[in-house]
Amino acid sequence: MRFTEQFNVAHRLSSDDWFDLETIEDTPLYVDPFLVFEDDDPFWSACHQDLVDFFSLALRFVRLSEGDRKSPHWRKAQQMLTFPEPKEFAFGLSMGHPEGSGTADDFADRMADALDLLRRDRVDTLRYVEAFVLFCKGLGVDRISDMFCNITKGRFISYTQQVVDRHGLPTESVLVRHRSWSRKSGRWDDGRVALPRSPAFNGGVLLCPDRFLKDIPRVTADGFWSWAETNEASMLRFDLNYDLSQSLTKAEKTAAGREVARARPNLALAYVDKVADEDHLPYNVLTDPQLLVGWAEAGRDAAQGRPRLMTPESADDFYSWVGVLMNGFKHAVEQTDLWKTLWNDDYTRPRQEKIVQAIASMMWQTQCQAAGVDLSREVNIGRGPVDFKFSAGWHRRALTEVKLIKSSGFFTGASKQLPQYLESEQIEFGYYLCVGFTDLDFGDERLGRVRDTCSAIAEKKGVTMTPVFVDARVNNKTSASKQTESDDDE
């Protein structure tokens, strides 16, 4: 449900610049600090100084520790650099429920270590939070956005309260973690704030201007490598002993980029400064070319008219019940116009896997709610996240992994991921929903390999693992409107 629907408020483009967020699940966009820093409104552009002050203080604690990780100064820096998920914003490129993981202690230690690198390289301050991407493995743009939103949360609270006052919206006193931080001690302050209450968790909603939202990262380790390869080739060859004649994969460029950043911190910061000076454009939330905004409506529209399912009583009934959901998505794609939604506007490029998953999730959600079945997205089970978990008590549970057949992890999902999740959670039923877009996807060898893998694992592990193939090809579809006309002619 959109914020406008949840709180029955009109979104007036002439006076309201806030993004109408989906309150139940994360929207796959992130707050781009560069866009905030260069805003014409001094209220927002001042965020840059907020960030510089924050990391200058953290760097000061690291400097006082002199690299001693047992020092109270080091621990103080770690405490500053621990950022909970800012769930009030409901953003995240990985999507899922607004209550995510944030940056935990291990990332705090990595960031403190990165600041120690800067200390040893005689760097006085850090001007852009994106620089941590170059030094810390696993610290992607989602977490960079989380860090920025924590540090500047006070400004977004004020902005949201202005919207609330303008529209006369109801609020409640809710606890907000990292409401503010002390510029003297660096201590985080949690506190209660009057905000619109979130329907997804025990807390409030924070709004963000849509002109600050982006869909792809600007600063990346592989991008830094490519920049260094072009601009610092001699240094890479002779000083750092890299063979630039070797062709590297993206993963290898990412690893090499982080190695160079740690060897030459000032060079990494120069690259970030270069990116900061470039022209930046936000994601266009109105035209929504990647369906990063309209996925929720697409899933809800596909659910319209679907039959209401009775609550499953037994484990076997539950397995069949989830199968009806899987086949309902398959039918909607293959027999209605939902296949069009899974392609871009001119049907030349399929949507991203996460958008296909999000549309399916929203389609299933209505039926799950009506039947009292819990649907969880991207829950951490065993060695990693599984796409969907359906449950109605301990004995009625099933997992579903959704993969594009063209995905590099397609066969891994069938042979390793889903079986591991089933075993870790002691769940007996799983579905492997496979979505294809080309004739190559539906070759007999590919589909047969998945069927054989599922059968072999089911026999070996004593579980039921069912593949469901969804045909989203363009060249074999008749539009729903034409099909209706044909039926009427008969």
Side-chain angles (χ1 to χ4, degrees):
M1 183 176 290
R2 296 283 169 195
F3 181 87
T4 48
E5 299 172 278
Q6 184 77 40
F7 295 97
N8 192 26
V9 57
H11 190 279
R12 300 188 295 269
L13 293 179
S14 58
S15 58
D16 288 317
D17 58 355
W18 42 272
F19 176 69
D20 187 15
L21 58 87
E22 180 69 25
T23 56
I24 302 299
E25 293 193 45
D26 287 346
T27 294
L29 295 168
Y30 71 94
V31 180
D32 185 344
F34 290 134
L35 291 171
V36 181
F37 297 159
E38 58 192 31
D39 197 66
D40 292 335
D41 187 343
F43 175 81
W44 291 115
S45 59
C47 285
H48 192 196
Q49 191 59 52
D50 294 341
L51 185 138
V52 169
D53 291 346
F54 180 90
F55 285 111
S56 293
L57 183 56
L59 185 57
R60 175 174 171 267
F61 287 128
V62 169
R63 188 179 294 112
L64 288 172
S65 76
E66 296 183 339
D68 180 5
R69 282 154 174 75
K70 295 182 180 180
S71 162
H73 299 297
W74 184 274
R75 290 196 296 271
K76 184 64 179 177
Q78 282 183 310
Q79 291 168 2
M80 284 188 69
L81 298 170
T82 301
F83 302 95
E85 169 80 8
K87 51 194 175 182
E88 301 89 357
F89 291 84
F91 292 125
L93 296 186
S94 59
M95 306 185 75
H97 192 277
E99 290 196 271
S101 59
T103 52
D105 292 344
D106 56 338
F107 285 109
D109 197 48
R110 293 181 208 179
M111 288 185 284
D113 181 66
L115 291 180
D116 194 44
L117 279 176
L118 300 182
R119 171 190 71 85
R120 284 180 273 146
D121 212 43
R122 291 183 168 78
V123 174
D124 294 327
T125 190
L126 186 69
R127 299 180 62 232
Y128 300 107
V129 67
E130 290 87 346
F132 283 109
V133 170
L134 306 181
F135 300 108
C136 304
K137 183 179 181 180
L139 200 68
V141 68
D142 263 4
R143 286 190 166 93
I144 293 297
S145 181
D146 288 352
M147 293 160 61
F148 175 78
C149 288
N150 271 273
I151 295 168
T152 60
K153 192 177 287 186
R155 293 186 183 271
F156 287 96
I157 290 173
S158 298
Y159 172 77
T160 302
Q161 290 176 333
Q162 291 172 19
V163 175
V164 164
D165 292 342
R166 185 162 65 246
H167 289 280
L169 301 182
T171 63
E172 295 183 34
S173 177
V174 296
L175 180 66
V176 176
R177 294 190 64 191
H178 285 197
R179 178 183 64 176
S180 61
W181 54 277
S182 168
R183 293 175 181 268
K184 182 178 180 180
S185 67
R187 184 178 66 85
W188 287 104
D189 176 50
D190 301 340
R192 304 195 75 84
V193 177
L195 291 174
R197 178 168 285 280
S198 169
F201 64 94
N202 186 25
V205 174
L206 288 178
L207 299 174
C208 172
D210 56 23
R211 66 182 181 275
F212 296 156
L213 301 180
K214 200 77 178 80
D215 58 328
I216 56 176
R218 303 178 185 279
V219 174
T220 62
D222 61 300
F224 170 53
W225 169 263
S226 297
W227 176 81
E229 192 176 25
T230 300
N231 296 278
E232 301 289 341
S234 296
M235 182 272 293
L236 293 177
R237 283 195 190 96
F238 303 115
D239 194 5
L240 297 182
N241 196 30
Y242 280 101
D243 180 6
L244 299 188
S245 65
Q246 182 182 359
S247 179
L248 302 181
T249 65
K250 182 177 180 179
E252 289 169 338
K253 288 181 179 179
T254 297
R258 289 205 175 94
E259 287 179 2
V260 174
R262 297 186 71 83
R264 293 288 187 273
N266 270 300
L267 187 64
L269 298 184
Y271 163 72
V272 178
D273 285 341
K274 188 273 301 182
V275 175
D277 288 339
E278 295 174 351
D279 292 333
H280 302 144
L281 293 174
Y283 181 76
N284 192 326
V285 300
L286 296 179
T287 61
D288 192 20
Q290 304 296 325
L291 204 67
L292 302 180
V293 178
W295 54 270
E297 284 74 14
R300 281 193 282 263
D301 289 346
Q304 293 297 316
R306 302 299 303 173
R308 179 171 178 174
L309 303 177
M310 298 299 292
T311 303
E313 296 296 333
S314 66
D316 288 342
D317 289 341
F318 189 75
Y319 167 65
S320 299
W321 188 91
V322 175
V324 171
L325 295 187
M326 302 298 107
N327 285 303
F329 180 72
K330 173 182 173 70
H331 179 273
V333 173
E334 296 180 353
Q335 304 301 326
T336 77
D337 281 350
L338 183 59
W339 66 270
K340 294 181 179 180
T341 308
L342 304 188
W343 288 84
N344 66 349
D345 290 342
D346 60 3
Y347 310 126
T348 59
R349 189 171 64 253
R351 300 290 185 196
Q352 299 176 60
E353 185 173 86
K354 64 184 178 184
I355 298 302
V356 177
Q357 293 170 345
I359 293 171
S361 171
M362 195 57 67
M363 181 177 173
W364 296 330
Q365 198 171 79
T366 301
Q367 290 170 299
C368 286
Q369 289 173 345
V373 172
D374 179 68
L375 170 59
S376 303
R377 287 239 17 224
E378 293 194 352
V379 288
N380 284 311
I381 296 174
R383 298 178 182 176
V386 66
D387 293 334
F388 300 99
K389 177 182 177 182
F390 300 86
S391 59
W394 179 259
H395 297 291
R396 291 174 293 171
R397 300 181 300 155
L399 301 179
T400 293
E401 189 78 6
V402 179
K403 279 283 186 290
L404 303 189
I405 296 177
K406 69 182 182 69
S407 167
S408 59
F410 176 62
F411 289 109
T412 301
S415 62
K416 294 183 179 179
Q417 286 179 287
L418 187 55
Q420 175 63 44
Y421 301 148
L422 291 168
E423 185 175 3
S424 299
E425 194 73 353
Q426 298 179 1
I427 293 177
E428 297 180 358
F429 306 114
Y431 285 91
Y432 193 51
L433 193 69
C434 315
V435 184
F437 294 91
T438 67
D439 292 342
L440 181 62
D441 288 343
F442 289 92
D444 291 340
E445 187 275 333
R446 292 177 71 83
L447 301 192
R449 182 176 168 188
V450 171
R451 290 191 183 99
D452 292 343
T453 299
C454 289
S455 297
I457 290 173
E459 183 176 351
K460 180 180 180 181
K461 301 285 187 180
V463 298
T464 301
M465 188 170 153
T466 305
V468 177
F469 300 103
V470 180
D471 189 343
R473 283 178 286 186
V474 173
N475 58 7
N476 65 349
K477 296 292 187 298
T478 300
S479 72
S481 59
K482 289 183 179 180
Q483 184 65 50
T484 302
E485 292 172 4
S486 175
D487 293 344
D488 291 343
D489 290 341
E490 295 178 2

